[in-house]
Amino acid sequence: MITTIALIACGVTAACAVWRLVVGPTLAGRIAALDVALISLMGAIAIHAAETDERAWLDLLVVIAIIGFTATVAVSRFVEHEAESS
Amino acid sequence: MSLLPGIIILIGAALNVIAGIGLVRFESPYARFHAAGKASPVAFLVIALGAGLEMGGTAALHLAVAAVGLVLTLPVGVHLLFRAVHRTTPGDHLRVDDLRDAEAKRFG
């Protein structure tokens, strides 16, 4: 029961992030929304792994953390160049 | 799912919702980056603590590695976003902007 509430909370966070992704005026705000969505996904994976006691899921967390960081760094370069082109 | 880890996980999930609400409600991009760059890693830290208590030895190690990896890298990424936005937008979000004078002096 506790974990379902926690998973629903992570879902609400992801919904907020998707809303900011859709509405968000600036490109950088959208990237921050992707970050929040990725981290709520990581939280949901950790909660699910804690509930069902499956060790296989935990390696995924490290991968998502590093990929989220790399994506943010890569796209923040586009934010700088976007202003010059437009 | 014993009680104490469950409560810690609930607190982490609540922090996560606060980060999401912060992302939605804040006006200027700089404020939204605080929600994305600081509130959500802390939320994941608390969730990882609860899950680590629940699952025991090696799994807690996996979670610790993921949590340290996230906390070390994500603020750097969001800081780059800060810098990118700061350099491109004219800066109407900020009332006091000391960096702009320093940048103007340095870049000329």
Side-chain angles (χ1 to χ4, degrees):
Chain A
M1 182 54 194
I2 290 180
T3 49
T4 45
I5 298 173
L7 284 173
I8 289 169
C10 286
V12 166
T13 313
C16 291
V18 166
W19 187 81
R20 172 57 58 196
L21 194 66
V22 170
V23 168
T26 60
L27 171 62
R30 289 193 166 100
I31 303 162
L34 285 177
D35 264 331
V36 171
L38 273 180
I39 292 174
S40 62
L41 174 68
M42 285 171 69
I45 287 173
I47 293 166
H48 176 69
E51 189 184 6
T52 57
D53 205 13
E54 287 177 14
R55 304 298 162 95
W57 286 92
L58 296 177
D59 308 331
L60 198 56
L61 295 179
V62 183
V63 171
I64 291 178
I66 303 303
I67 286 181
F69 164 66
T70 316
T72 306
V73 169
V75 182
S76 70
R77 289 184 58 83
F78 295 135
V79 174
E80 290 198 13
H81 296 313
E82 181 202 30
E84 285 153 21
S85 60
S86 62
Chain B
M1 191 70 178
S2 51
L3 194 57
L4 180 63
I7 291 174
I8 294 179
I9 281 180
L10 270 180
I11 294 171
L15 272 172
N16 211 349
V17 171
I18 291 171
I21 292 172
L23 191 70
V24 165
R25 297 265 315 156
F26 285 141
E27 287 84 24
S28 71
Y30 298 108
R32 285 183 206 134
F33 294 157
H34 283 288
K38 295 179 186 56
S40 48
V42 170
F44 178 73
L45 271 182
V46 176
I47 290 176
L49 178 68
L53 282 178
E54 168 69 20
M55 293 178 74
T58 53
L61 205 59
H62 275 282
L63 283 162
V65 167
V68 166
L70 182 71
V71 167
L72 284 183
T73 55
L74 187 73
V76 174
V78 177
H79 171 67
L80 282 174
L81 275 178
F82 263 101
R83 200 185 63 177
V85 169
H86 182 73
R87 285 191 179 163
T88 48
T89 57
D92 43 5
H93 314 294
L94 302 171
R95 281 183 299 278
V96 176
D97 195 345
D98 302 330
L99 182 60
R100 193 160 304 281
D101 321 330
E103 262 181 0
K105 208 178 333 168
R106 185 162 161 275
F107 290 124

Short mmCIF file of all heavy atoms in Angstrom, two decimals, chain A residues 32-69:
data_model
loop_
_atom_site.label_atom_id
_atom_site.label_comp_id
_atom_site.label_asym_id
_atom_site.label_seq_id
_atom_site.Cartn_x
_atom_site.Cartn_y
_atom_site.Cartn_z
N ALA A 32 15.25 20.81 -18.37
CA ALA A 32 15.11 20.62 -16.93
C ALA A 32 13.93 19.71 -16.65
O ALA A 32 13.98 18.86 -15.74
CB ALA A 32 14.91 21.97 -16.26
N ALA A 33 12.86 19.82 -17.47
CA ALA A 33 11.71 18.93 -17.27
C ALA A 33 12.11 17.49 -17.55
O ALA A 33 11.71 16.57 -16.83
CB ALA A 33 10.58 19.37 -18.19
N LEU A 34 12.92 17.29 -18.61
CA LEU A 34 13.38 15.91 -18.89
C LEU A 34 14.17 15.37 -17.72
O LEU A 34 14.03 14.21 -17.32
CB LEU A 34 14.22 15.91 -20.16
CG LEU A 34 13.47 16.05 -21.47
CD1 LEU A 34 14.45 16.10 -22.63
CD2 LEU A 34 12.51 14.90 -21.64
N ASP A 35 14.99 16.22 -17.11
CA ASP A 35 15.77 15.76 -15.96
C ASP A 35 14.87 15.32 -14.83
O ASP A 35 15.07 14.26 -14.23
CB ASP A 35 16.69 16.90 -15.48
CG ASP A 35 18.06 16.76 -16.07
OD1 ASP A 35 18.44 15.60 -16.35
OD2 ASP A 35 18.73 17.77 -16.25
N VAL A 36 13.84 16.13 -14.54
CA VAL A 36 12.95 15.77 -13.43
C VAL A 36 12.22 14.48 -13.76
O VAL A 36 12.06 13.59 -12.92
CB VAL A 36 11.95 16.92 -13.16
CG1 VAL A 36 10.89 16.50 -12.20
CG2 VAL A 36 12.69 18.13 -12.64
N ALA A 37 11.83 14.31 -15.04
CA ALA A 37 11.13 13.07 -15.42
C ALA A 37 12.05 11.88 -15.25
O ALA A 37 11.65 10.84 -14.70
CB ALA A 37 10.66 13.18 -16.86
N LEU A 38 13.32 12.02 -15.66
CA LEU A 38 14.27 10.90 -15.53
C LEU A 38 14.47 10.54 -14.07
O LEU A 38 14.49 9.36 -13.70
CB LEU A 38 15.61 11.27 -16.16
CG LEU A 38 15.73 11.01 -17.65
CD1 LEU A 38 17.10 11.41 -18.13
CD2 LEU A 38 15.51 9.54 -17.95
N ILE A 39 14.56 11.54 -13.21
CA ILE A 39 14.83 11.23 -11.81
C ILE A 39 13.61 10.64 -11.14
O ILE A 39 13.72 9.75 -10.30
CB ILE A 39 15.34 12.49 -11.11
CG1 ILE A 39 16.70 12.85 -11.65
CG2 ILE A 39 15.43 12.28 -9.62
CD1 ILE A 39 17.23 14.12 -11.13
N SER A 40 12.42 11.07 -11.57
CA SER A 40 11.24 10.41 -10.98
C SER A 40 11.13 8.98 -11.49
O SER A 40 10.73 8.08 -10.75
CB SER A 40 9.98 11.19 -11.35
OG SER A 40 9.81 11.21 -12.73
N LEU A 41 11.59 8.74 -12.73
CA LEU A 41 11.66 7.34 -13.21
C LEU A 41 12.64 6.54 -12.36
O LEU A 41 12.36 5.41 -11.93
CB LEU A 41 12.12 7.32 -14.66
CG LEU A 41 12.38 5.95 -15.28
CD1 LEU A 41 11.10 5.18 -15.43
CD2 LEU A 41 13.10 6.08 -16.61
N MET A 42 13.79 7.16 -12.05
CA MET A 42 14.76 6.44 -11.19
C MET A 42 14.16 6.16 -9.83
O MET A 42 14.30 5.07 -9.27
CB MET A 42 16.03 7.29 -11.03
CG MET A 42 16.93 7.33 -12.23
SD MET A 42 18.22 8.54 -12.03
CE MET A 42 19.19 7.80 -10.76
N GLY A 43 13.43 7.13 -9.27
CA GLY A 43 12.81 6.90 -7.98
C GLY A 43 11.81 5.77 -8.06
O GLY A 43 11.77 4.90 -7.19
N ALA A 44 11.01 5.75 -9.14
CA ALA A 44 10.01 4.69 -9.27
C ALA A 44 10.70 3.33 -9.38
O ALA A 44 10.25 2.34 -8.79
CB ALA A 44 9.14 4.97 -10.49
N ILE A 45 11.83 3.28 -10.11
CA ILE A 45 12.54 2.00 -10.24
C ILE A 45 13.06 1.56 -8.88
O ILE A 45 12.94 0.39 -8.48
CB ILE A 45 13.68 2.15 -11.26
CG1 ILE A 45 13.12 2.22 -12.66
CG2 ILE A 45 14.65 1.01 -11.15
CD1 ILE A 45 14.16 2.53 -13.71
N ALA A 46 13.59 2.51 -8.11
CA ALA A 46 14.12 2.14 -6.79
C ALA A 46 12.99 1.64 -5.89
O ALA A 46 13.15 0.65 -5.17
CB ALA A 46 14.81 3.35 -6.17
N ILE A 47 11.83 2.30 -5.96
CA ILE A 47 10.70 1.87 -5.12
C ILE A 47 10.23 0.49 -5.53
O ILE A 47 10.02 -0.41 -4.71
CB ILE A 47 9.56 2.89 -5.22
CG1 ILE A 47 9.96 4.21 -4.60
CG2 ILE A 47 8.30 2.37 -4.57
CD1 ILE A 47 9.05 5.34 -4.94
N HIS A 48 10.14 0.26 -6.85
CA HIS A 48 9.68 -1.04 -7.34
C HIS A 48 10.67 -2.14 -6.94
O HIS A 48 10.27 -3.22 -6.50
CB HIS A 48 9.54 -0.99 -8.85
CG HIS A 48 9.16 -2.32 -9.45
ND1 HIS A 48 7.92 -2.89 -9.28
CD2 HIS A 48 9.88 -3.18 -10.19
CE1 HIS A 48 7.88 -4.05 -9.90
NE2 HIS A 48 9.06 -4.26 -10.46
N ALA A 49 11.97 -1.82 -7.04
CA ALA A 49 12.98 -2.81 -6.66
C ALA A 49 12.89 -3.11 -5.17
O ALA A 49 13.03 -4.25 -4.73
CB ALA A 49 14.37 -2.29 -7.02
N ALA A 50 12.62 -2.07 -4.36
CA ALA A 50 12.50 -2.30 -2.92
C ALA A 50 11.29 -3.18 -2.62
O ALA A 50 11.34 -4.06 -1.76
CB ALA A 50 12.38 -0.97 -2.20
N GLU A 51 10.21 -2.97 -3.37
CA GLU A 51 8.98 -3.71 -3.06
C GLU A 51 9.13 -5.17 -3.46
O GLU A 51 8.85 -6.08 -2.69
CB GLU A 51 7.82 -3.07 -3.81
CG GLU A 51 6.47 -3.61 -3.39
CD GLU A 51 5.37 -3.00 -4.25
OE1 GLU A 51 5.71 -2.27 -5.21
OE2 GLU A 51 4.20 -3.24 -3.97
N THR A 52 9.60 -5.42 -4.68
CA THR A 52 9.64 -6.80 -5.16
C THR A 52 11.00 -7.44 -4.91
O THR A 52 11.22 -8.57 -5.33
CB THR A 52 9.38 -6.81 -6.67
OG1 THR A 52 10.39 -5.95 -7.26
CG2 THR A 52 8.02 -6.23 -6.98
N ASP A 53 11.92 -6.71 -4.32
CA ASP A 53 13.21 -7.26 -3.94
C ASP A 53 13.93 -7.88 -5.13
O ASP A 53 14.52 -8.97 -5.03
CB ASP A 53 13.04 -8.31 -2.84
CG ASP A 53 14.34 -8.43 -2.03
OD1 ASP A 53 15.19 -7.54 -2.18
OD2 ASP A 53 14.50 -9.41 -1.32
N GLU A 54 13.90 -7.18 -6.27
CA GLU A 54 14.62 -7.69 -7.46
C GLU A 54 15.91 -6.89 -7.59
O GLU A 54 15.88 -5.66 -7.66
CB GLU A 54 13.78 -7.45 -8.71
CG GLU A 54 12.58 -8.38 -8.84
CD GLU A 54 11.76 -8.02 -10.08
OE1 GLU A 54 12.31 -7.27 -10.92
OE2 GLU A 54 10.63 -8.45 -10.18
N ARG A 55 17.03 -7.60 -7.62
CA ARG A 55 18.31 -6.89 -7.69
C ARG A 55 18.62 -6.44 -9.11
O ARG A 55 19.46 -5.60 -9.32
CB ARG A 55 19.43 -7.82 -7.20
CG ARG A 55 19.19 -8.36 -5.82
CD ARG A 55 19.13 -7.23 -4.83
NE ARG A 55 18.51 -7.60 -3.57
CZ ARG A 55 19.18 -8.00 -2.51
NH1 ARG A 55 20.48 -8.13 -2.58
NH2 ARG A 55 18.57 -8.29 -1.41
N ALA A 56 17.94 -6.97 -10.13
CA ALA A 56 18.37 -6.70 -11.50
C ALA A 56 18.13 -5.24 -11.87
O ALA A 56 18.82 -4.67 -12.70
CB ALA A 56 17.61 -7.60 -12.47
N TRP A 57 17.14 -4.62 -11.21
CA TRP A 57 16.74 -3.28 -11.64
C TRP A 57 17.75 -2.23 -11.24
O TRP A 57 17.78 -1.14 -11.80
CB TRP A 57 15.40 -2.92 -11.00
CG TRP A 57 14.26 -3.64 -11.61
CD1 TRP A 57 13.72 -4.82 -11.21
CD2 TRP A 57 13.51 -3.23 -12.76
NE1 TRP A 57 12.69 -5.16 -12.04
CE2 TRP A 57 12.54 -4.20 -12.99
CE3 TRP A 57 13.59 -2.13 -13.61
CZ2 TRP A 57 11.65 -4.13 -14.05
CZ3 TRP A 57 12.70 -2.05 -14.66
CH2 TRP A 57 11.74 -3.04 -14.87
N LEU A 58 18.60 -2.53 -10.27
CA LEU A 58 19.37 -1.44 -9.66
C LEU A 58 20.48 -0.96 -10.58
O LEU A 58 20.89 0.20 -10.51
CB LEU A 58 19.96 -1.93 -8.34
CG LEU A 58 18.87 -2.28 -7.32
CD1 LEU A 58 19.48 -2.83 -6.05
CD2 LEU A 58 18.06 -1.03 -7.01
N ASP A 59 20.95 -1.84 -11.48
CA ASP A 59 22.01 -1.37 -12.38
C ASP A 59 21.48 -0.29 -13.31
O ASP A 59 22.21 0.61 -13.73
CB ASP A 59 22.52 -2.56 -13.21
CG ASP A 59 22.88 -3.72 -12.31
OD1 ASP A 59 23.25 -3.43 -11.16
OD2 ASP A 59 22.74 -4.87 -12.73
N LEU A 60 20.16 -0.36 -13.58
CA LEU A 60 19.58 0.61 -14.51
C LEU A 60 19.70 2.02 -13.96
O LEU A 60 19.84 2.99 -14.72
CB LEU A 60 18.08 0.25 -14.66
CG LEU A 60 17.34 0.82 -15.85
CD1 LEU A 60 18.04 0.44 -17.12
CD2 LEU A 60 15.92 0.33 -15.85
N LEU A 61 19.69 2.15 -12.60
CA LEU A 61 19.69 3.50 -12.01
C LEU A 61 20.96 4.25 -12.38
O LEU A 61 20.91 5.42 -12.77
CB LEU A 61 19.58 3.38 -10.49
CG LEU A 61 18.28 2.78 -9.96
CD1 LEU A 61 18.34 2.72 -8.45
CD2 LEU A 61 17.11 3.61 -10.40
N VAL A 62 22.10 3.56 -12.29
CA VAL A 62 23.36 4.24 -12.57
C VAL A 62 23.39 4.68 -14.03
O VAL A 62 23.77 5.80 -14.37
CB VAL A 62 24.55 3.31 -12.25
CG1 VAL A 62 25.85 4.03 -12.45
CG2 VAL A 62 24.43 2.78 -10.85
N VAL A 63 22.88 3.80 -14.91
CA VAL A 63 22.90 4.13 -16.35
C VAL A 63 22.05 5.37 -16.61
O VAL A 63 22.46 6.31 -17.30
CB VAL A 63 22.38 2.91 -17.14
CG1 VAL A 63 22.19 3.28 -18.59
CG2 VAL A 63 23.32 1.76 -16.99
N ILE A 64 20.87 5.42 -16.01
CA ILE A 64 19.98 6.56 -16.27
C ILE A 64 20.61 7.82 -15.72
O ILE A 64 20.57 8.89 -16.35
CB ILE A 64 18.61 6.30 -15.61
CG1 ILE A 64 17.89 5.17 -16.32
CG2 ILE A 64 17.75 7.54 -15.66
CD1 ILE A 64 16.56 4.84 -15.70
N ALA A 65 21.26 7.74 -14.56
CA ALA A 65 21.87 8.95 -13.99
C ALA A 65 22.92 9.51 -14.94
O ALA A 65 22.94 10.71 -15.25
CB ALA A 65 22.49 8.62 -12.63
N ILE A 66 23.78 8.63 -15.44
CA ILE A 66 24.89 9.12 -16.28
C ILE A 66 24.35 9.61 -17.62
O ILE A 66 24.73 10.67 -18.12
CB ILE A 66 25.93 8.02 -16.46
CG1 ILE A 66 26.43 7.55 -15.09
CG2 ILE A 66 27.08 8.48 -17.32
CD1 ILE A 66 27.01 8.64 -14.23
N ILE A 67 23.38 8.89 -18.19
CA ILE A 67 22.86 9.30 -19.50
C ILE A 67 22.11 10.62 -19.36
O ILE A 67 22.24 11.53 -20.19
CB ILE A 67 21.96 8.19 -20.07
CG1 ILE A 67 22.82 7.04 -20.55
CG2 ILE A 67 21.10 8.71 -21.19
CD1 ILE A 67 22.06 5.91 -21.13
N GLY A 68 21.36 10.79 -18.27
CA GLY A 68 20.66 12.06 -18.06
C GLY A 68 21.62 13.21 -17.99
O GLY A 68 21.41 14.27 -18.59
N PHE A 69 22.73 12.99 -17.31
CA PHE A 69 23.71 14.07 -17.19
C PHE A 69 24.32 14.38 -18.55
O PHE A 69 24.40 15.54 -18.97
CB PHE A 69 24.80 13.65 -16.21
CG PHE A 69 26.03 14.47 -16.29
CD1 PHE A 69 26.01 15.81 -15.95
CD2 PHE A 69 27.22 13.92 -16.74
CE1 PHE A 69 27.15 16.58 -16.04
CE2 PHE A 69 28.35 14.69 -16.83
CZ PHE A 69 28.32 16.02 -16.48
#
